[in-house]
């Protein structure tokens, strides 16, 4: 019926569908004036929160506003997917986002705490920390390191940064030592400092094995970056091999989270648990499926099967699930690891 009506009036889209391009929406003069006021207000700093019920004209204005703000730099557009939630739920989720106690009964005190926390800085590990670090370090680090590489580096130099984690590689050890000293001084000007336990200079690469053996330092050191432990290794023919394995700390944390969630879901039906476990393992493999990490992913899959078996056996004293049945479940629903990245 809807397609017939659309064809009758020569329409291509249903106006309130989420997949309608913003360019296809009609912008009335009042809506255009409203969008301009919001854009002007955000240009001077701050944030705006707009609410609207689906299926009304306000939802079209929100779609247009999200499209316009998304085209601007240094502006983040967020959407609350559950508008039916109570006001108390909204304030609690907003407080969790910024790491402050916030509720509908104490929202003014919470906003004062939020203002103080914003002035002091965001909590490390919080959801806002990577976003703000990415914006801040663009000026503190990125715009400074590029001229430093052109003017001071004596050999090759590479820089990789993701949010507040970055890795710098040098061909010359003297460049690395000098860069670390000047980087600490640069960050000190902006009231920042490097993590003492995560910052170090080490020999790594195709010549690390020979250089450390020459100085009697043993095997090359390893380092963790973006969830992987990077290891200097050699192939069977003696060529250099960069071995990347999932960091042990991340494996333990993920297995613990899966165990806790399976205990919460243990009274669900087996098909429901199978669908959830399969989705979790596929998402985990989608990021960690490196060529030199397959054996660790196989071990991860085995451990997930073991945790699942333990959760099923705890559903009741009469449960008789054994390893033979679990292997059938695993073969059917838990994918096997295969290389997805170079």
């Amino acid at each position: 019926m809807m397609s017939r009506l659309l064809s009758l009036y020569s329409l291509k889209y249903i106006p309130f569908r989420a997949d309608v391009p913003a360019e296809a929406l009609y912008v009335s003069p009042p809506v255009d004036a409203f969008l301009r006021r919001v854009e002007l207000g955000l240009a001077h700093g701050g944030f705006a929160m707009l609410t609207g019920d689906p299926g009304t004209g306000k939802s079209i204005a929100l779609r247009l506003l999200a499209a316009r703000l998304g085209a601007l730099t240094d502006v983040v557009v967020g959407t609350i997917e559950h508008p039916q939630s109570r006001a108390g739920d909204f304030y609690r989720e907003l407080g969790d986002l910024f790491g402050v106690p916030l509720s509908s009964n104490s929202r003014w005190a919470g906003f004062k705490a939020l203002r103080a926390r914003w002035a002091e800085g965001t909590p490390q590990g919080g959801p806002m920390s990577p976003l703000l670090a990415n914006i801040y370090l663009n000026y503190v680090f990125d715009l400074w390191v590029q001229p430093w590489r052109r003017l001071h580096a004596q050999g090759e130099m590479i820089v990789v940064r993701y949010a507040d984690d970055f890795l710098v590689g040098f061909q010359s050890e003297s460049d690395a030592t000098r860069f670390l000293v000047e980087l600490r001084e640069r960050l000190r000007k902006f009231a920042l400092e490097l993590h003492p336990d995560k910052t170090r200079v080490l020999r790594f690469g195709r010549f690390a094995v020979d250089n450390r053996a020459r100085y009697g330092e043993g095997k090359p050191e390893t380092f963790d970056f973006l969830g992987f432990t990077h290891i200097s290794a050699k192939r069977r023919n003696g060529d250099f091999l960069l071995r990347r394995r999932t960091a042990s700390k991340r494996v333990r944390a993920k297995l613990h989270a899966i165990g806790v969630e399976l205990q919460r879901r243990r009274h669900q039906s087996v098909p429901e648990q199978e669908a959830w476990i399969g989705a979790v393992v596929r998402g985990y493999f989608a990021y960690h499926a490196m060529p030199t990490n397959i054996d660790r992913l196989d071990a991860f899959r085995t451990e997930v099967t073991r945790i699942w078996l333990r959760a099923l056996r705890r559903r009741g004293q009469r449960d008789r699930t054994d390893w033979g049945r679990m292997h059938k479940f695993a073969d059917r629903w838990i994918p096997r690891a295969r290389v997805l990245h170079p």
Side-chain angles (χ1 to χ4, degrees), residues 163-340:
D164 55 351
D165 291 332
F166 57 86
L167 172 69
V168 186
F170 300 90
Q171 185 179 9
S172 173
E173 185 176 356
S174 60
D175 285 346
T177 305
R178 179 182 177 182
F179 178 83
L180 182 59
V181 174
E182 297 187 12
L183 176 61
R184 286 198 172 101
E185 182 63 27
R186 169 72 176 180
L187 297 179
R188 191 177 297 113
K189 295 179 181 178
F190 295 88
L192 299 174
E193 61 181 8
L194 297 173
H195 196 289
D197 298 331
K198 298 181 180 180
T199 305
R200 53 192 173 129
V201 178
L202 54 90
R203 293 187 178 92
F204 193 88
R206 64 179 65 253
F207 304 111
V209 176
D210 298 333
N211 291 337
R212 289 182 63 86
R214 186 183 306 114
Y215 293 101
E217 297 177 348
K219 294 183 178 180
E221 297 179 82
T222 63
F223 66 90
D224 293 345
F225 186 63
L226 300 182
F228 289 95
T229 299
H230 295 70
I231 307 170
S232 289
K234 288 187 176 182
R235 302 181 187 272
R236 294 181 178 179
N237 59 2
D239 294 340
F240 171 74
L241 173 65
L242 174 60
R243 187 182 300 275
R244 291 169 291 183
R245 302 174 65 85
T246 308
S248 301
K249 182 172 64 175
R250 173 166 290 196
V251 174
R252 291 193 298 268
K254 189 63 176 181
L255 290 175
H256 176 73
I258 291 176
V260 172
E261 184 63 20
L262 280 176
Q263 288 299 321
R264 192 183 68 85
R265 294 172 175 262
R266 66 179 180 272
H267 294 298
Q268 292 182 350
S269 63
V270 173
E272 291 178 328
Q273 295 186 28
E274 290 171 343
W276 179 81
I277 292 177
V280 171
V281 175
R282 279 193 298 272
Y284 187 84
F285 286 176
Y287 180 77
H288 296 92
M290 299 289 182
T292 57
N293 197 37
I294 298 302
D295 56 341
R296 178 154 291 191
L297 296 184
D298 290 337
F300 176 84
R301 181 179 181 273
T302 302
E303 191 62 27
V304 169
T305 306
R306 189 188 308 276
I307 295 173
W308 190 12
L309 173 61
R310 189 183 305 122
L312 291 177
R313 285 177 173 175
R314 290 184 178 179
R315 295 196 298 180
Q317 296 180 355
R318 297 184 178 181
D319 188 89
R320 294 295 183 267
T321 306
D322 55 7
W323 269 108
R325 189 179 182 187
M326 284 305 303
H327 284 312
K328 294 181 181 179
F329 289 162
D331 293 339
R332 180 179 179 183
W333 291 100
I334 303 181
R336 293 189 177 276
R338 59 188 182 89
V339 176
L340 300 176

Side-chain angles (χ1 to χ4, degrees), residues 68 71 88 90 119 166:
R68 289 197 181 185
F90 168 76
F166 57 86

Side-chain angles (χ1 to χ4, degrees), residues 157-168:
M157 175 180 173
I158 61 172
V159 181
V160 180
R161 184 176 72 83
Y162 184 84
D164 55 351
D165 291 332
F166 57 86
L167 172 69
V168 186

Side-chain angles (χ1 to χ4, degrees), residues 43-58:
H44 296 287
F47 65 94
M49 182 182 69
L50 301 100
T51 60
D53 297 328
T56 64
K58 192 181 294 184

